[in-house]
Amino acid sequence: MFSFIRNHQMNIMLSLCAICAIMAVMLLLTKFLSKKRKWILTGMEIIATLLLFFDRLAYIYAGNTTSMGYIMVRVANFIVFFMTSAIVLCFNFYLIDLLRNEGKLTDIPKRLVFTGFASSVGMLMAIISAFTGLYYYFDSQNLYHRGTGFLICYIIPVVCPVVQYTVAVKYRKCFSKFIYTALSLYVFFPIAMGIIQIFTYGISIVNMAMVLVSISLYFLNYLDVNNEISKAHNIEIQAYKAEQRRMKNIFSQAAKAFTTVMEEYKHAEKGSAERSAKIAKELAKMAGKDEDECDKIYFAAFICDAGEKALSYIKDYPFLRETTLYIGKPYSDSIPEYARIITVAKDYDRMLNDPSIPNFYLRDYFIREAGNQYDPLYAKFAVRILDKETNLGLFGNNLHKLETELICNNYRESISSGVEITQNMVNISFDCVPLSKDENEKIFSIPSIILFDSSDGMVQKTQEEVDSHKYLEYGEIWFDSHIISTGARTMEIRNLQDIEAEDKSDATDSYKISFGRFEDHLILKMQNPHKIFEVIVALPSASRAAYIAITGENICIRNLKIQAANHVVEKNEIPRINEKINYINRIESDVPNIQIEKPLAGFTEPIEVKNSMKLFFHTQSLPDANLVWHCPYIIIYHSDDKKVYGNNYRQYAMIKFDGEDNESTEFSENKIYVKKTESFKNWEEWEAQNKVGYESQIDFSRAGNEITLITQNKGIFIHNTTKILDGTKEIYVALSGDQVALTDIRVR
């Protein structure tokens, strides 16, 4: 390495001089340093340039016996020794400037006072040496030789930087990592080269090293400045964002105050504007809108009820007025997107908070009106929000909540909330106290239960409510074993037993009831203070829900408690008093027929998906079907035992014949295309055709990890591609659905 430097020393020195000179010019032009520091750094670069430039001249003119050579050798060597101490002094100024600015020091450390004085002495000694030959002398051939005091010249460039570094270490926390690195390099790299210089006569590696650290000082200062600018920029950005948030909060509060006054003036439902705005923002997020657009949609939805005239005064946001003009209009691509989103959001909120509209009818409505009243994309998103909030995508509500007390003067004057009867047994207990004006007067006083089906799990009283919630009452049962059957197919009392009377000091009686169901049969085990008996109820169909509500006559019902019995009703546990209504007594082919009376309540046997496969079957919706998703479902999945929801179950896709799809999962990516063809007239016609029944065909094709499904059913064309992400090879398909009978299932 040293031989390379020795051979190319002149070129290396010239290149480093040029670089240092360029650095000096760039420092003079920079605007990101203080004036004093800029001049100090510029001085250091100029000193480094002169140091190496004259060191190079000393080598060039060495041995040149002409008058020019005589002068240049002496001038060059003098400047080299002089500048060696001068650069130490300049570095001292730089360190002092750092401590006064970054370190906030008012008093200069004494060590830096010492190094400043010592470096000045070093410069003076260079002048003395030029006349005395202390450091160097020249022979008759004008050649440079080390003098007797040569090692003295190393004291200043070695000792002073070490002392300066001790100061830098003490105040290290005041400097950035870039500045501290620059200080360390500036001190130790030339010292290391100086030690080597003692043993490598004829190579100016110390001077080269000082030039190199001067260059590094420029770059590290530049990086430090750049870092500080970045920090300042980030602080400005954060301040700007904070100001944005503050202004947004102010605007939001103003909008909220405005809409609150407007709701009171128009007698509108309180909070509807804010709820609609939040829904609109969520719809926008689901569509992938950025935060700025989501905020615009939020505020447009918040204040859109102000009207076109009022919003026209907000000149800076013309989209508010333009959006308001189209809100509520039937879907069209020509309508602004903001208006399409807000139309969905406002109707969603209005219907969701209307007690006369059941949630699953709201879901059904958005599916039906997608492409008519609503943008199909945002109608689909509204359905997904509803499914997430209510789980209506698969299951109904299981309302396990009861009032703690009921006072019933007249029969059915007060009725508890309904509790759904499911396959899981439930216990209810309560106490009763008769209501009597005269203690000697005996009146009929007894609790009873009402069995019913209603979309909101409540007993309906008016004809409007009955129609709205599709209310059906199965019957009434009194705790004295008296029954009235209305909508049920059959109701029977069984195992009636007397209970021995117990002496009581008060007039309170305790009552208990346990209930559960399996398919279309219910069992109710009832107990009053004197009797215990069972009631078996055959429902009109297994697809309808069943609820139980508590009421009575001339009685106070209190301490109502409800508790899960930790028992699941199994097949044959409830005596069957009516035959099951069967809609699958048709021809059976490759796969057994199946009748599905609840969402995903049953599945066909698994069919492995081949590279090319066709699935044929007859489908017919059950008589109680009245929602668009009461139709067949296609499930693509894997499990170790080949069963849906089996061991290691992974669902890749679930597609409903009404065109609904489940979103992509961690195991798959789904891309679905749904189109209503010319043969599709309306949903009512489609549902009617489903109830009549028809032959359906599904085409499957598989290429590696992609499965394509194509089917067309009474005007609804579905093309879905499922990409399997987990590398599973054995993929299965099963048919399921809701309130549907699937028969004559063939695989080709």
Side-chain angles (χ1 to χ4, degrees):
M1 179 179 178
F2 290 114
S3 60
F4 175 83
I5 295 173
R6 192 185 302 276
N7 295 332
H8 300 279
Q9 186 170 218
M10 296 298 103
N11 292 331
I12 294 172
M13 294 169 79
L14 186 62
S15 299
L16 291 175
C17 285
I19 294 172
C20 255
I22 293 170
M23 298 296 128
V25 174
M26 293 178 69
L27 279 166
L28 287 172
L29 297 175
T30 187
K31 296 180 180 179
F32 300 111
L33 292 171
S34 66
K35 186 176 181 180
K36 187 173 182 179
R37 188 170 301 179
K38 180 167 68 172
W39 282 110
I40 292 172
L41 289 172
T42 303
M44 294 177 74
E45 297 297 337
I46 292 172
I47 290 171
T49 303
L50 294 173
L51 175 66
L52 205 56
F53 179 76
F54 281 98
D55 195 16
R56 183 174 181 272
L57 288 179
Y59 279 98
I60 292 174
Y61 286 97
N64 188 328
T65 56
T66 65
S67 57
M68 176 61 75
Y70 182 88
I71 295 171
M72 289 306 299
V73 165
R74 283 154 180 77
V75 171
N77 279 280
F78 164 72
I79 290 178
V80 168
F81 282 88
F82 185 84
M83 291 301 177
T84 301
S85 295
I87 203 166
V88 174
L89 179 62
C90 208
F91 182 72
N92 210 64
F93 291 144
Y94 175 67
L95 193 53
I96 292 171
D97 185 66
L98 285 174
L99 292 173
R100 282 179 171 170
N101 289 280
E102 277 77 350
K104 307 299 181 185
L105 297 184
T106 55
D107 297 328
I108 301 172
K110 293 181 179 179
R111 281 170 288 178
L112 293 185
V113 174
F114 165 75
T115 52
F117 174 76
S119 56
S120 299
V121 171
M123 294 165 67
L124 179 61
M125 289 295 293
I127 297 172
I128 294 171
S129 176
F131 296 100
T132 62
L134 179 64
Y135 294 161
Y136 56 89
Y137 64 92
F138 304 97
D139 60 18
S140 59
Q141 297 299 316
N142 203 26
L143 293 174
Y144 167 91
H145 295 279
R146 292 177 177 177
T148 57
F150 175 75
L151 291 178
I152 298 174
C153 72
Y154 275 89
I155 295 175
I156 299 302
V158 172
V159 175
C160 286
V162 172
V163 174
Q164 290 168 336
Y165 185 70
T166 62
V167 176
V169 170
K170 181 178 180 180
Y171 297 99
R172 179 176 181 175
K173 293 182 179 179
C174 300
F175 310 131
S176 70
K177 61 180 180 179
F178 296 111
I179 295 299
Y180 188 76
T181 301
L183 297 176
S184 301
L185 283 173
Y186 212 91
V187 169
F188 291 109
F189 188 60
I191 290 175
M193 293 300 102
I195 295 170
I196 297 172
Q197 178 80 70
I198 297 172
F199 306 100
T200 55
Y201 183 77
I203 305 178
S204 295
I205 55 175
V206 172
N207 294 337
M208 291 183 191
M210 297 191 76
V211 171
L212 285 172
V213 293
S214 296
I215 295 170
S216 70
L217 189 66
Y218 169 83
F219 281 110
L220 290 169
N221 266 274
Y222 176 80
L223 291 175
D224 180 62
V225 169
N226 187 62
N227 187 54
E228 291 300 317
I229 292 172
S230 296
K231 287 181 180 178
H233 182 62
N234 288 334
I235 292 171
E236 287 179 1
I237 289 175
Q238 293 304 318
Y240 174 71
K241 287 183 177 179
E243 182 65 16
Q244 271 193 323
R245 287 192 295 269
R246 190 177 71 84
M247 293 304 296
K248 189 186 295 182
N249 288 337
I250 292 172
F251 187 81
S252 180
Q253 292 166 11
K256 189 172 184 178
F258 174 75
T259 53
T260 300
V261 173
M262 189 170 58
E263 285 170 351
E264 292 177 356
Y265 176 74
K266 293 185 174 182
H267 303 290
E269 185 182 354
K270 187 177 181 180
S272 61
E274 186 173 9
R275 292 196 306 268
S276 298
K278 288 180 179 178
I279 296 165
K281 186 173 183 177
E282 181 63 24
L283 293 172
K285 284 183 180 178
M286 294 173 75
K289 305 290 185 187
D290 60 32
E291 186 177 353
D292 184 56
E293 269 203 285
C294 289
D295 287 339
K296 286 183 177 180
I297 292 167
Y298 173 83
F299 288 118
F302 210 146
I303 63 175
C304 64
D305 287 337
E308 175 193 353
K309 185 175 180 180
L311 295 177
S312 65
Y313 290 102
I314 307 178
K315 303 295 185 182
D316 291 338
Y317 302 100
F319 72 89
L320 294 174
R321 175 180 171 276
E322 294 168 3
T323 298
T324 302
L325 289 172
Y326 294 96
I327 291 175
K329 304 288 185 183
Y331 166 70
S332 169
D333 284 333
S334 61
I335 291 177
E337 188 177 23
Y338 286 10
R340 284 182 267 149
I341 295 172
I342 296 170
T343 295
V344 171
K346 289 181 71 64
D347 284 1
Y348 178 94
D349 175 72
R350 176 179 55 80
M351 290 187 281
L352 185 68
N353 290 280
D354 187 338
S356 68
I357 302 176
N359 287 346
F360 55 80
Y361 288 154
L362 171 58
R363 184 182 196 276
D364 181 77
Y365 180 75
F366 271 104
I367 294 173
R368 291 174 186 270
E369 293 301 320
N372 295 324
Q373 180 65 29
Y374 306 119
D375 184 314
L377 177 64
Y378 294 106
K380 179 173 73 172
F381 290 157
V383 170
R384 287 183 181 172
I385 293 174
L386 188 64
D387 287 348
K388 184 178 179 181
E389 292 180 350
T390 64
N391 205 23
L392 284 175
L394 296 178
F395 307 104
N397 289 323
N398 193 3
L399 303 177
H400 278 187
K401 54 184 180 181
L402 283 175
E403 297 77 359
T404 57
E405 183 174 301
L406 298 170
I407 297 177
C408 306
N409 286 295
N410 299 319
Y411 180 56
R412 295 177 68 146
E413 181 180 345
S414 295
I415 305 173
S416 74
S417 301
V419 179
E420 188 175 5
I421 306 175
T422 68
Q423 205 170 338
N424 298 303
M425 290 288 289
V426 173
N427 299 327
I428 293 178
S429 63
F430 55 90
D431 299 330
C432 288
V433 177
L435 296 176
S436 176
K437 297 178 181 178
D438 187 344
E439 293 182 359
N440 297 319
E441 181 184 359
K442 292 185 177 181
I443 60 171
F444 181 77
S445 175
I446 193 169
S448 65
I449 64 172
I450 303 170
L451 295 176
F452 65 96
D453 180 20
S454 179
S455 62
D456 63 350
M458 303 290 287
V459 173
Q460 309 301 333
K461 297 179 180 179
T462 67
Q463 188 59 46
E464 182 182 357
E465 291 172 339
V466 169
D467 295 338
S468 173
H469 292 280
K470 304 296 181 184
Y471 181 77
L472 174 63
E473 194 164 297
Y474 300 128
E476 300 163 278
I477 306 170
W478 282 261
F479 273 83
D480 62 356
S481 72
H482 177 66
I483 62 174
I484 294 178
S485 177
T486 49
R489 283 193 287 160
T490 312
M491 296 176 69
E492 288 187 7
I493 300 292
R494 294 194 176 194
N495 300 323
L496 180 63
Q497 301 176 29
D498 291 331
I499 299 176
E500 293 184 6
E502 297 181 3
D503 292 333
K504 295 186 178 181
S505 58
D506 56 30
T508 302
D509 292 328
S510 296
Y511 293 79
K512 296 179 182 177
I513 177 171
S514 298
F515 49 87
R517 76 179 285 177
F518 187 84
E519 295 181 345
D520 59 347
H521 274 52
L522 313 179
I523 184 169
L524 301 97
K525 299 178 181 181
M526 304 177 66
Q527 178 181 331
N528 64 34
H530 309 289
K531 292 182 180 182
I532 183 171
F533 58 94
E534 293 180 348
V535 181
I536 310 298
V537 181
L539 300 177
S541 72
S543 58
R544 295 207 67 137
Y547 294 87
I548 183 172
I550 311 295
T551 187
E553 182 177 359
N554 296 318
I555 201 163
C556 174
I557 300 172
R558 59 192 184 188
N559 299 325
L560 267 164
K561 297 178 182 177
I562 183 168
Q563 184 179 15
N566 296 321
H567 177 72
V568 178
V569 180
E570 302 292 342
K571 187 177 182 180
N572 301 324
E573 195 170 333
I574 301 177
R576 181 166 283 281
I577 58 177
N578 264 112
E579 291 299 321
K580 182 178 180 179
I581 301 175
N582 195 318
Y583 297 96
I584 55 175
N585 289 329
R586 293 171 53 88
I587 187 171
E588 194 166 272
S589 297
D590 300 332
V591 178
N593 298 342
I594 185 169
Q595 183 170 311
I596 307 160
E597 293 163 319
K598 294 283 185 179
L600 300 174
F603 310 92
T604 62
E605 292 182 355
I607 305 164
E608 187 171 0
V609 179
K610 303 295 184 181
N611 292 342
S612 180
M613 182 179 76
K614 295 182 184 296
L615 201 58
F616 303 90
F617 59 94
H618 183 273
T619 175
Q620 181 178 4
S621 294
L622 302 184
D624 287 332
N626 61 355
L627 301 169
V628 293
W629 62 84
H630 290 163
C631 61
Y633 303 170
I634 308 161
I635 301 173
I636 300 173
Y637 69 99
H638 167 83
S639 68
D640 294 342
D641 56 6
K642 303 182 181 181
K643 296 179 180 179
V644 178
Y645 302 133
N647 297 330
N648 193 28
Y649 179 72
R650 298 180 180 184
Q651 183 169 297
Y652 302 112
M654 182 173 71
I655 299 131
K656 302 176 183 179
F657 271 26
D658 66 342
E660 293 183 70
D661 71 306
N662 65 327
E663 299 179 69
S664 298
T665 70
E666 59 180 311
F667 308 117
S668 65
E669 289 180 359
N670 283 294
K671 294 182 179 179
I672 190 169
Y673 170 73
V674 180
K675 179 184 177 182
K676 294 173 183 174
T677 66
E678 293 181 357
S679 62
F680 182 88
K681 295 180 180 178
N682 52 58
W683 283 109
E684 290 72 21
E685 178 68 22
W686 187 80
E687 289 176 299
Q689 291 175 330
N690 273 267
K691 286 194 174 182
V692 171
Y694 60 87
E695 294 296 321
S696 181
Q697 175 181 332
I698 308 173
D699 295 339
F700 293 91
S701 62
R702 181 174 182 179
N705 66 340
E706 285 194 352
I707 298 171
T708 301
L709 172 159
I710 300 175
T711 185
Q712 180 169 295
N713 300 282
K714 299 302 176 183
I716 297 182
F717 173 81
I718 300 172
H719 181 287
N720 184 81
T721 301
T722 301
K723 185 176 182 180
I724 309 299
L725 301 179
D726 60 6
T728 302
K729 303 298 182 184
E730 296 78 21
I731 307 297
Y732 305 98
V733 62
L735 298 178
S736 185
D738 187 4
Q739 298 203 30
V740 68
L742 308 176
T743 57
D744 192 18
I745 305 169
R746 291 151 285 150
V747 183
R748 298 291 182 267

